[in-house]
Amino acid sequence: GDIAAAAIALLSDLTDADEASAELNDLKSQLVMLLMHRGLVRVLLNALTGSLNESNSDDETAAVYNVLSIIENLVDLNPAELFGKKELGDKGEGGSKSLQEDGMAGDLMGIVEWLTARVARRRVKGVELDSNTQYASEILAVILQSSGSHVRKRFVTDLQGVDAALRSLAPYRSTPPATPEEAEFLENMFDVLCAVLMEDVAKTAFLENEGVELMVLFLKGRTVA
């Protein structure tokens, strides 16, 4: 609702890093750490997966954008706390764990799952690219670049992330992006692939999902500058 959207907007402002003040950023980092220990990551996940509906109003669309902004701010201000010393989503003796287990680690993987599903919807060229999908592609790349191999591996194995990334790129294999927003989306999805391809499991998925063939088509079509 309106109150939730207003609270999310306030949190986005409060956690926005200030390039001009290291002292202020230290304070914001402490605030972020406190909020994360109080369940902020789960609140953000619940907002994305349930409480916010972009089809309801422009305010809720803006709220989703602000949630993504807060996630970016968490990575900027306190990545060690967000990603944790323990490997996120680590699979213990009990075998595979669901994406919603392991406290904050599971909540973060839930956010990665939402981001992956969001960018995967972007498969049909000609459909207008909305700002939240574009921003989701950026945040997904940031998380995969900043996290450890455990997150990247689960992105590949649990979420079929390499396939999702390749499918989102495929519409541009012979035709360049029509807008600056599409060009940024394309760049973000290449960043996603570059981030995960350092993992052997991602290399295998890339080959199995005909990633090499798609890259050749990109080069032939001169879509990639």
Side-chain angles (χ1 to χ4, degrees):
D2 293 342
I3 296 177
I8 290 169
L10 176 61
L11 277 175
S12 178
D13 290 338
L14 286 175
T15 58
D16 189 18
D18 188 338
E19 295 180 2
S21 176
E23 183 178 356
L24 181 57
N25 281 343
D26 286 341
L27 291 174
K28 289 187 175 185
S29 179
Q30 294 176 36
L31 172 63
V32 161
M33 182 172 65
L34 176 62
L35 290 171
M36 284 193 285
H37 280 287
R38 298 285 179 155
L40 176 61
V41 179
R42 176 157 297 182
V43 170
L44 298 176
L45 173 61
N46 289 340
L48 290 175
T49 58
S51 61
L52 295 176
N53 186 342
E54 293 168 83
S55 63
N56 285 344
S57 68
D58 290 342
D59 286 344
E60 295 205 27
T61 298
V64 169
Y65 188 92
N66 285 331
V67 169
L68 297 177
S69 175
I70 295 169
I71 295 168
E72 183 177 22
N73 295 341
L74 299 185
V75 177
D76 287 342
L77 287 169
N78 208 325
E81 188 68 30
L82 178 62
F83 298 119
K85 294 180 180 179
K86 176 187 175 183
E87 292 200 342
L88 298 184
D90 190 22
K91 295 178 180 179
E93 295 180 0
S96 177
K97 294 184 178 181
S98 75
L99 295 182
Q100 303 307 319
E101 293 177 5
D102 283 349
M104 188 163 66
D107 294 334
L108 179 61
M109 284 308 305
I111 287 174
V112 173
E113 181 178 19
W114 185 91
L115 294 169
T116 304
R118 184 64 181 246
V119 300
R121 298 191 319 188
R122 178 68 186 153
R123 295 179 181 177
V124 181
K125 192 176 182 303
V127 175
E128 184 178 355
L129 177 67
D130 65 89
S131 60
N132 284 344
T133 299
Q134 177 192 331
Y135 200 8
S137 68
E138 179 182 345
I139 301 306
L140 181 60
V142 166
I143 288 176
L144 293 173
Q145 290 166 342
S146 304
S147 63
S149 64
H150 38 280
V151 174
R152 293 191 288 267
K153 288 176 180 177
R154 292 198 67 181
F155 170 76
V156 176
T157 58
D158 294 0
L159 304 178
Q160 290 75 52
V162 170
D163 179 55
L166 291 172
R167 287 179 181 273
S168 71
L169 291 171
Y172 303 103
R173 60 188 178 276
S174 58
T175 305
T179 65
E181 291 75 20
E182 286 191 349
E184 184 173 344
F185 176 82
L186 188 67
E187 181 179 347
N188 291 336
M189 295 314 299
F190 273 113
D191 286 344
V192 166
L193 283 176
C194 288
V196 299
L197 280 173
M198 63 183 72
E199 308 296 339
D200 288 341
V201 66
K203 295 184 180 75
T204 300
F206 186 76
L207 294 173
E208 290 177 348
N209 288 282
E210 300 182 349
V212 172
E213 290 83 350
L214 181 60
M215 296 305 108
V216 170
L217 290 174
F218 269 110
L219 293 174
K220 287 182 177 179
R222 298 182 181 179
T223 298
V224 182

